[in-house]
Amino acid sequence: MTFSPFPHFGRLALALALGLLVLFAAPWGPVGVARAQAPQPLLTILFTGNSEGRYLPCEVCGETARGGLARRATALARVRGLMDGRVLVLGGGHEFTPLRAALAGDNVAQALAQAYAAMRYDLGLLSARDFEWLRAAEALPGPAWLPPARECRLRILEAGGLRVGVVLLPTLGDMYAPAPREAVDAVLRAAREARPQVDLLLGLGVWGWEADATLLAAEDAGFDALLSTGPGWGTGVRPAREGRLLVVRPEYQGWSVIRLDILALPGAGEARGWIDGTHYRATKIKLDAAMPEDRAVSIILAWL
C-alpha cells in the first residue's frame, strides 16, 4: 500500500493546496507592488552642467571617488538604451570651464570637445567663458552646443512623440547679480510665444541663482521647468511657484547626472502643476565606482 502524507485529499485537492502556497509566496509586499505599479515615463530628460571642466573622478575622495566623463558616458548610454527614443540629453553652462579658477590649456579644450561630441548631447548652452576658451583652442564640441547670445532663442526637440521647446535664456553681464528687468521681460515674452507650439516648455540658462530668483519672482514665466546653471545654492529638482514649475540645478564638478522622468504632462493654464510621483520622478544618477567607464571616452582622455 502506498503511503500518502495527505490521506484526506485527492490529487486535485493537493494541486490546489500547492497553488495557494505559490500564490501567497509571491512578492506581493510593498516592493513587489511598487514594481508592478511604477509608471513608465513619457520622456526622460538627462541634465548636466556646472562640471567646471572636471573630466576625471574626484581626486581626493579615495574609494568613494565620483564623477568623470567616462562614467558619465556610460550612464547616458545606459538610459538611452532602456528608453527607446524617449530621452533628451541637455547640457548647461560651465561644463567646460571653472566659474573662477584659471583655465586649462588648449590640449584639454580639444580633448573635452571630443569627449562631449562622443556623448551625443541633444542640446547644450555654453557659458561665455566656455565659448571663448573653446573657440580660442579651435575646439568647439559640435552643432548641438550653442554659443551665448544677448537674445532669447527657441529650439524645438522631439522625443517620445512629444514636442519639447527649449527657450535659451540670454546671456547676462554679471552672473552674481539679479537679472535686469528687460532681460526678464524678454524671457517672459519668449515663453508666451513658444507655449502654443510645444507639449512641454523648458528654460535653459546660465544666469546663476540670483538672476534666476528675479525671474521666479516675476509673473508666471510659463515654463514647465527651468534648467539652471551658474553660481548659486542647491542641487537637484524642486517645485516652485506653487508647483507650476520645476527648478533643476545639477551637482557641481560633474559628480552625478540629473534624471527627470516625465510621467504625465502637468496640464495647462491655471490647472498646470507638478505632482511628484504622478507627473514626474527626479533622481540623481551617481557616477561612483559601481559605474564602469566608457572605453571610447576613456581613450580620448588618456592623452591628457
Side-chain angles (χ1 to χ4, degrees):
M1 181 174 64
T2 303
F3 173 78
S4 171
F6 301 97
H8 301 294
F9 293 89
R11 292 183 178 180
L12 181 61
L14 178 59
L16 178 60
L18 292 175
L20 290 173
L21 179 62
V22 171
L23 176 64
F24 285 107
W28 284 96
V31 173
V33 172
R35 287 177 179 172
Q37 295 178 346
Q40 290 298 309
L42 302 174
L43 172 73
T44 293
I45 297 169
L46 301 177
F47 181 53
T48 68
N50 284 347
S51 297
E52 300 193 75
R54 297 297 183 96
Y55 56 89
L56 295 175
C58 172
E59 299 174 350
V60 296
C61 297
E63 295 181 358
T64 62
R66 294 182 289 173
L69 293 186
R71 287 176 176 165
R72 181 189 299 184
T74 298
L76 300 184
R78 282 183 173 181
V79 177
R80 278 193 175 111
L82 292 172
M83 292 301 297
D84 190 27
R86 290 173 288 141
V87 177
L88 288 177
V89 181
L90 306 178
H94 296 287
E95 276 291 78
F96 299 86
T97 60
L99 293 170
R100 292 180 177 272
L103 298 174
D106 288 357
N107 62 327
V108 176
Q110 292 157 6
L112 292 187
Q114 293 180 48
Y116 276 85
M119 288 187 283
R120 299 186 295 113
Y121 276 70
D122 293 289
L123 182 64
L125 177 60
L126 299 169
S127 68
R129 202 177 197 209
D130 286 341
F131 178 66
E132 294 299 334
W133 180 62
L134 292 168
R135 182 174 64 173
E138 299 182 350
L140 296 181
W145 288 89
L146 301 182
R150 294 196 174 274
E151 67 280 350
C152 293
R153 291 162 291 173
L154 173 66
R155 293 294 183 271
I156 296 180
L157 308 173
E158 295 193 6
L162 300 177
R163 286 171 59 84
V164 180
V166 183
V167 173
L168 299 132
L169 276 58
T171 187
L172 300 180
D174 185 354
M175 60 183 175
Y176 294 94
R181 183 67 213 187
E182 58 270 21
V184 172
D185 289 342
V187 171
L188 298 177
R189 185 167 56 252
R192 286 194 298 268
E193 294 172 355
R195 168 59 69 182
Q197 306 177 51
V198 299
D199 302 304
L200 191 72
L201 185 60
L202 311 177
L204 176 58
V206 195
W207 280 16
W209 184 261
E210 291 291 338
D212 285 344
T214 312
L215 177 61
L216 295 174
E219 62 181 282
D220 187 358
F223 296 123
D224 295 307
L226 175 63
L227 280 56
S228 169
T229 54
W233 301 275
T235 64
V237 178
R238 68 176 180 88
R241 300 194 66 91
E242 298 179 344
R244 288 181 293 174
L245 183 148
L246 297 177
V247 178
V248 185
R249 282 185 60 84
E251 198 169 22
Y252 287 97
Q253 300 182 4
W255 283 5
S256 63
V257 174
I258 295 288
R259 175 172 177 165
L260 176 60
D261 290 318
I262 307 300
L263 308 178
L265 295 178
E270 293 298 324
R272 190 174 86 248
W274 291 101
I275 300 175
D276 188 5
T278 299
H279 298 103
Y280 77 98
R281 180 173 59 231
T283 53
K284 287 183 182 179
I285 302 175
K286 296 181 180 180
L287 304 181
D288 54 20
M291 184 71 67
E293 296 187 342
D294 177 82
R295 175 174 171 78
V297 172
S298 294
I299 291 173
I300 293 171
L301 301 177
W303 292 93
L304 299 177

